[in-house]
Amino acid sequence: MRYEDNPKSIKFYVKRFLHANKNFFKGKNVIDFPAGNGITSRILRDIGANPVPMDLFPEYFEIEGIDCKRANILDGLPISNKQADALICQEGIEHFSDQFGALKEFNRVLKKDGILLITTPNYSNLRAKLSYLLSESERFNSIMPPNELDSIWMSDQKITNEIYFGHIFLIGIQKLRVLARLSGFKIKKYHFTRIKVTSVLLLPLFYPFILISNWISYKRNMRKHGDYNYSTKKMIYGEIYKLSINPKILVGGNLMVEFIKDQDHKDVAKGLRSKHKEFGIT
């Protein structure tokens, strides 16, 4: 069975998303980064899109008739501003040492209202939360915490000075949301993929505490920050609260989040206010 036809693989859900939205993607320029072996680029071509694959190691790209460019996210993507209609970052952001910089770069190359689809191992499910509590590892009892023996997935100085890290930079839904927001994106939709059985078993035990704790935090913070009006706080804190208690996120195997670019990242700072207003300057 091919990866994209296996419900245990994230590629299955990305393929389903692309086919469900093929009318949007047809004729559009879609960056596939990191492209890996090229399965997603092939699917994009099959539905009539114009795939633009990029990867730190394009030597592993296997699809004939499509050129995969070498790209190091720390150096920026080799494409001009606002040239892409969509960008798919599939199982990549957890490898990036500068995730905020990566999201700003994604914003730079996308057109206004462009789509950014990010998939990543779900660091917000209950199994991941318990694993971090017990050992700060991705999966307790089977994987060691990030380390220099297991977490260097590729290092070939003949090709690039950049190290391809393993899952050192796992990211949960809340941090992904705020980094994306500060980069000019907002969540359009959260797509559920598949369940993690351990997380499902933990849900009845922990969910009441998650619900109550997050509700208390939400209500307390709604009473703070007089600089912001009630509707702004309700919108932002409400979104955070709903993500925190979403059962699908708490039991899901992967995060699969569809973002939309609603502003250039350079304009985001204009709407921000400093929490520390003086920084010790008199």
Side-chain angles (χ1 to χ4, degrees):
M1 181 183 295
R2 300 191 302 183
Y3 284 115
E4 65 269 32
D5 297 323
N6 184 355
K8 293 183 179 181
S9 170
I10 187 61
K11 296 183 185 298
F12 172 86
Y13 301 95
V14 172
K15 177 182 178 181
R16 187 171 67 179
F17 167 80
L18 292 174
H19 277 274
N21 296 277
K22 62 182 179 181
N23 289 335
F24 167 81
F25 285 103
K26 187 175 182 179
K28 301 290 178 57
N29 296 323
V30 184
I31 296 174
D32 179 15
F33 176 79
N37 60 9
I39 290 175
T40 299
S41 288
R42 174 172 53 76
I43 296 170
L44 285 166
R45 182 177 64 182
D46 290 346
I47 64 172
N50 176 31
V52 185
M54 303 176 185
D55 199 279
L56 183 62
F57 296 101
E59 292 82 5
Y60 295 97
F61 192 83
E62 300 175 350
I63 308 302
E64 295 184 3
I66 305 177
D67 178 46
C68 181
K69 296 181 179 179
R70 188 180 308 282
N72 181 348
I73 190 60
L74 294 178
D75 297 330
L77 300 180
I79 187 171
S80 301
N81 295 349
K82 302 180 182 180
Q83 292 298 304
D85 299 285
L87 190 152
I88 298 173
C89 183
Q90 185 178 175
E91 307 301 287
I93 198 166
E94 67 273 11
H95 303 282
F96 298 162
S97 59
D98 183 4
Q99 294 168 333
F100 184 40
L103 286 163
K104 289 193 292 183
E105 180 66 2
F106 294 165
N107 181 281
R108 178 188 70 81
V109 302
L110 282 170
K111 300 175 183 177
K112 181 71 165 62
D113 298 324
I115 295 298
L116 170 63
L117 183 72
I118 291 182
T119 78
T120 186
N122 187 0
Y123 207 45
S124 293
N125 67 33
L126 289 176
R127 188 185 73 171
K129 293 175 187 287
L130 181 60
S131 295
Y132 189 84
L133 174 66
L134 294 176
S135 63
E136 296 189 31
S137 71
E138 182 179 355
R139 192 160 62 246
F140 65 90
N141 293 339
S142 61
I143 295 180
M144 294 294 290
N147 62 82
E148 62 273 29
L149 299 181
D150 305 314
S151 303
I152 308 302
W153 283 15
M154 184 70 70
S155 180
D156 190 338
Q157 301 297 304
K158 296 179 181 179
I159 298 177
T160 175
N161 292 327
E162 178 66 13
I163 297 173
Y164 184 60
F165 295 104
H167 291 176
I168 294 180
F169 308 102
L170 287 166
I171 185 170
I173 187 62
Q174 299 292 2
K175 185 179 289 187
L176 180 59
R177 187 205 75 86
V178 70
L179 291 182
R181 199 73 195 98
L182 293 172
S183 304
F185 296 100
K186 63 180 179 181
I187 294 177
K188 180 180 180 182
K189 185 177 181 180
Y190 172 77
H191 297 270
F192 182 67
T193 55
R194 61 190 180 95
I195 65 169
K196 284 291 184 182
V197 174
T198 304
S199 294
V200 173
L201 296 174
L202 292 169
L203 188 65
L205 177 63
F206 286 101
Y207 194 70
F209 298 98
I210 292 171
L211 193 64
I212 293 170
S213 175
N214 282 281
W215 175 252
I216 292 172
S217 178
Y218 169 72
K219 296 301 288 186
R220 283 180 175 174
N221 282 273
M222 283 297 294
R223 294 194 292 267
K224 298 178 181 179
H225 305 302
D227 289 348
Y228 294 96
N229 59 48
Y230 180 84
S231 61
T232 298
K233 291 190 291 185
K234 185 177 181 180
M235 178 182 65
I236 295 174
Y237 291 153
E239 181 179 27
I240 294 170
Y241 172 69
K242 290 176 182 178
L243 290 173
S244 296
I245 66 170
N246 188 329
K248 291 183 178 180
I249 293 176
L250 292 170
V251 303
N254 294 80
L255 293 176
M256 182 169 168
V257 189
E258 182 183 358
F259 295 94
I260 186 169
K261 175 181 174 178
D262 66 342
Q263 59 181 320
D264 290 339
H265 71 83
K266 294 180 180 179
D267 295 330
V268 175
K270 297 176 183 178
L272 302 177
R273 300 179 187 177
S274 300
K275 181 176 181 180
H276 301 282
K277 295 180 170 53
E278 295 185 6
F279 294 97
I281 299 175
T282 59

Short mmCIF file of all heavy atoms in Angstrom, two decimals, residues 106-134:
data_model
loop_
_atom_site.label_atom_id
_atom_site.label_comp_id
_atom_site.label_asym_id
_atom_site.label_seq_id
_atom_site.Cartn_x
_atom_site.Cartn_y
_atom_site.Cartn_z
N PHE A 106 7.34 31.97 4.98
CA PHE A 106 6.15 31.46 4.30
C PHE A 106 5.21 32.60 3.95
O PHE A 106 4.61 32.63 2.87
CB PHE A 106 5.43 30.43 5.17
CG PHE A 106 6.20 29.16 5.43
CD1 PHE A 106 5.81 28.30 6.44
CD2 PHE A 106 7.30 28.83 4.66
CE1 PHE A 106 6.50 27.12 6.68
CE2 PHE A 106 8.01 27.65 4.89
CZ PHE A 106 7.61 26.80 5.91
N ASN A 107 5.07 33.53 4.88
CA ASN A 107 4.22 34.70 4.65
C ASN A 107 4.74 35.53 3.48
O ASN A 107 3.96 36.01 2.64
CB ASN A 107 4.14 35.54 5.92
CG ASN A 107 3.25 36.75 5.78
OD1 ASN A 107 3.66 37.76 5.22
ND2 ASN A 107 2.04 36.67 6.31
N ARG A 108 6.05 35.68 3.41
CA ARG A 108 6.65 36.51 2.34
C ARG A 108 6.33 35.98 0.96
O ARG A 108 6.02 36.74 0.04
CB ARG A 108 8.18 36.55 2.53
CG ARG A 108 8.90 37.36 1.44
CD ARG A 108 10.40 37.23 1.55
NE ARG A 108 10.89 35.90 1.20
CZ ARG A 108 11.07 35.46 -0.04
NH1 ARG A 108 10.79 36.25 -1.09
NH2 ARG A 108 11.54 34.24 -0.27
N VAL A 109 6.37 34.65 0.79
CA VAL A 109 6.23 34.09 -0.56
C VAL A 109 4.77 33.87 -0.95
O VAL A 109 4.48 33.64 -2.13
CB VAL A 109 7.00 32.76 -0.69
CG1 VAL A 109 8.48 32.98 -0.38
CG2 VAL A 109 6.42 31.68 0.21
N LEU A 110 3.85 33.96 0.01
CA LEU A 110 2.43 33.73 -0.28
C LEU A 110 1.72 35.03 -0.66
O LEU A 110 2.00 36.10 -0.13
CB LEU A 110 1.73 33.11 0.92
CG LEU A 110 1.94 31.62 1.15
CD1 LEU A 110 1.40 31.20 2.50
CD2 LEU A 110 1.28 30.80 0.03
N LYS A 111 0.76 34.90 -1.56
CA LYS A 111 -0.09 36.02 -1.92
C LYS A 111 -1.08 36.31 -0.80
O LYS A 111 -1.27 35.49 0.09
CB LYS A 111 -0.87 35.70 -3.21
CG LYS A 111 -0.01 35.42 -4.43
CD LYS A 111 -0.86 35.00 -5.62
CE LYS A 111 0.00 34.66 -6.83
NZ LYS A 111 -0.82 34.18 -7.98
N LYS A 112 -1.71 37.46 -0.85
CA LYS A 112 -2.77 37.77 0.11
C LYS A 112 -3.87 36.71 0.01
O LYS A 112 -4.24 36.30 -1.08
CB LYS A 112 -3.35 39.16 -0.20
CG LYS A 112 -4.45 39.61 0.76
CD LYS A 112 -3.89 39.96 2.12
CE LYS A 112 -4.91 40.76 2.96
NZ LYS A 112 -6.15 40.03 3.25
N ASP A 113 -4.35 36.27 1.15
CA ASP A 113 -5.35 35.21 1.25
C ASP A 113 -4.82 33.85 0.80
O ASP A 113 -5.61 32.92 0.57
CB ASP A 113 -6.62 35.55 0.45
CG ASP A 113 -7.30 36.81 0.99
OD1 ASP A 113 -7.29 37.02 2.21
OD2 ASP A 113 -7.84 37.58 0.17
N GLY A 114 -3.49 33.74 0.68
CA GLY A 114 -2.90 32.46 0.35
C GLY A 114 -3.08 31.45 1.47
O GLY A 114 -3.26 31.81 2.64
N ILE A 115 -3.05 30.18 1.12
CA ILE A 115 -3.29 29.10 2.07
C ILE A 115 -1.97 28.48 2.51
O ILE A 115 -1.09 28.20 1.69
CB ILE A 115 -4.17 28.00 1.44
CG1 ILE A 115 -5.57 28.55 1.13
CG2 ILE A 115 -4.27 26.78 2.37
CD1 ILE A 115 -6.33 29.02 2.36
N LEU A 116 -1.83 28.31 3.82
CA LEU A 116 -0.69 27.61 4.39
C LEU A 116 -1.21 26.40 5.14
O LEU A 116 -1.99 26.53 6.09
CB LEU A 116 0.08 28.53 5.36
CG LEU A 116 1.16 27.86 6.23
CD1 LEU A 116 2.27 27.28 5.36
CD2 LEU A 116 1.72 28.85 7.24
N LEU A 117 -0.81 25.21 4.70
CA LEU A 117 -1.20 23.98 5.38
C LEU A 117 0.01 23.41 6.10
O LEU A 117 1.03 23.13 5.47
CB LEU A 117 -1.74 22.95 4.37
CG LEU A 117 -2.24 21.65 5.00
CD1 LEU A 117 -3.56 21.89 5.74
CD2 LEU A 117 -2.43 20.57 3.93
N ILE A 118 -0.11 23.27 7.40
CA ILE A 118 0.98 22.73 8.21
C ILE A 118 0.53 21.44 8.87
O ILE A 118 -0.55 21.39 9.48
CB ILE A 118 1.43 23.74 9.28
CG1 ILE A 118 2.14 24.93 8.63
CG2 ILE A 118 2.36 23.07 10.30
CD1 ILE A 118 2.66 25.96 9.61
N THR A 119 1.34 20.41 8.73
CA THR A 119 1.12 19.19 9.49
C THR A 119 2.37 18.93 10.32
O THR A 119 3.50 19.23 9.89
CB THR A 119 0.83 17.96 8.59
OG1 THR A 119 2.05 17.48 8.03
CG2 THR A 119 -0.15 18.30 7.50
N THR A 120 2.17 18.37 11.51
CA THR A 120 3.28 18.09 12.40
C THR A 120 2.82 17.08 13.45
O THR A 120 1.62 17.04 13.76
CB THR A 120 3.79 19.39 13.07
OG1 THR A 120 4.97 19.12 13.84
CG2 THR A 120 2.73 20.00 13.97
N PRO A 121 3.72 16.27 13.99
CA PRO A 121 3.31 15.38 15.08
C PRO A 121 2.63 16.18 16.18
O PRO A 121 3.08 17.28 16.54
CB PRO A 121 4.63 14.77 15.55
CG PRO A 121 5.51 14.80 14.35
CD PRO A 121 5.14 16.07 13.63
N ASN A 122 1.55 15.65 16.71
CA ASN A 122 0.71 16.40 17.64
C ASN A 122 1.33 16.41 19.04
O ASN A 122 1.19 15.45 19.80
CB ASN A 122 -0.69 15.81 17.69
CG ASN A 122 -1.64 16.65 18.53
OD1 ASN A 122 -1.26 17.68 19.08
ND2 ASN A 122 -2.88 16.22 18.62
N TYR A 123 1.98 17.52 19.37
CA TYR A 123 2.59 17.68 20.68
C TYR A 123 1.59 18.16 21.72
O TYR A 123 1.95 18.41 22.87
CB TYR A 123 3.76 18.66 20.58
CG TYR A 123 4.85 18.47 21.61
CD1 TYR A 123 5.34 17.20 21.89
CD2 TYR A 123 5.41 19.56 22.27
CE1 TYR A 123 6.35 17.02 22.83
CE2 TYR A 123 6.41 19.38 23.21
CZ TYR A 123 6.87 18.11 23.48
OH TYR A 123 7.87 17.93 24.42
N SER A 124 0.32 18.29 21.31
CA SER A 124 -0.73 18.74 22.21
C SER A 124 -1.67 17.61 22.63
O SER A 124 -2.61 17.86 23.39
CB SER A 124 -1.55 19.86 21.56
OG SER A 124 -0.77 21.02 21.39
N ASN A 125 -1.46 16.40 22.13
CA ASN A 125 -2.34 15.33 22.57
C ASN A 125 -1.92 14.84 23.96
O ASN A 125 -0.85 15.17 24.47
CB ASN A 125 -2.42 14.19 21.55
CG ASN A 125 -1.13 13.42 21.38
OD1 ASN A 125 -0.34 13.25 22.31
ND2 ASN A 125 -0.89 12.93 20.16
N LEU A 126 -2.78 14.07 24.58
CA LEU A 126 -2.56 13.69 25.97
C LEU A 126 -1.36 12.76 26.14
O LEU A 126 -0.66 12.83 27.16
CB LEU A 126 -3.82 13.03 26.53
CG LEU A 126 -5.00 13.99 26.75
CD1 LEU A 126 -6.23 13.22 27.21
CD2 LEU A 126 -4.64 15.07 27.76
N ARG A 127 -1.11 11.91 25.18
CA ARG A 127 0.06 11.05 25.28
C ARG A 127 1.33 11.87 25.27
O ARG A 127 2.27 11.62 26.03
CB ARG A 127 0.09 10.03 24.14
CG ARG A 127 1.19 8.98 24.32
CD ARG A 127 1.31 8.04 23.15
NE ARG A 127 1.91 8.69 21.99
CZ ARG A 127 2.28 8.04 20.89
NH1 ARG A 127 2.05 6.74 20.79
NH2 ARG A 127 2.82 8.68 19.88
N ALA A 128 1.38 12.89 24.39
CA ALA A 128 2.55 13.75 24.32
C ALA A 128 2.73 14.55 25.61
O ALA A 128 3.85 14.72 26.10
CB ALA A 128 2.43 14.70 23.13
N LYS A 129 1.62 15.04 26.17
CA LYS A 129 1.69 15.78 27.44
C LYS A 129 2.22 14.89 28.55
O LYS A 129 3.06 15.31 29.36
CB LYS A 129 0.31 16.33 27.80
CG LYS A 129 -0.21 17.42 26.86
CD LYS A 129 -1.63 17.81 27.25
CE LYS A 129 -2.26 18.76 26.25
NZ LYS A 129 -1.70 20.12 26.35
N LEU A 130 1.74 13.65 28.62
CA LEU A 130 2.21 12.72 29.64
C LEU A 130 3.67 12.36 29.40
O LEU A 130 4.46 12.24 30.36
CB LEU A 130 1.34 11.46 29.64
CG LEU A 130 1.70 10.39 30.69
CD1 LEU A 130 1.58 10.96 32.09
CD2 LEU A 130 0.80 9.17 30.52
N SER A 131 4.06 12.17 28.16
CA SER A 131 5.45 11.85 27.84
C SER A 131 6.38 12.95 28.29
O SER A 131 7.47 12.68 28.84
CB SER A 131 5.61 11.62 26.32
OG SER A 131 4.88 10.49 25.90
N TYR A 132 5.97 14.19 28.07
CA TYR A 132 6.81 15.32 28.51
C TYR A 132 6.89 15.37 30.03
O TYR A 132 7.96 15.64 30.60
CB TYR A 132 6.27 16.64 27.97
CG TYR A 132 7.22 17.79 28.21
CD1 TYR A 132 8.27 18.04 27.33
CD2 TYR A 132 7.09 18.60 29.34
CE1 TYR A 132 9.17 19.07 27.56
CE2 TYR A 132 7.99 19.64 29.58
CZ TYR A 132 9.02 19.87 28.69
OH TYR A 132 9.92 20.88 28.93
N LEU A 133 5.79 15.10 30.70
CA LEU A 133 5.78 15.09 32.16
C LEU A 133 6.72 14.03 32.71
O LEU A 133 7.48 14.28 33.66
CB LEU A 133 4.37 14.84 32.67
CG LEU A 133 4.20 14.64 34.19
CD1 LEU A 133 4.54 15.93 34.92
CD2 LEU A 133 2.77 14.19 34.51
N LEU A 134 6.72 12.85 32.12
CA LEU A 134 7.50 11.73 32.66
C LEU A 134 8.98 11.80 32.30
O LEU A 134 9.83 11.45 33.12
CB LEU A 134 6.91 10.40 32.15
CG LEU A 134 5.49 10.07 32.65
CD1 LEU A 134 5.00 8.79 32.00
CD2 LEU A 134 5.46 9.93 34.17
#
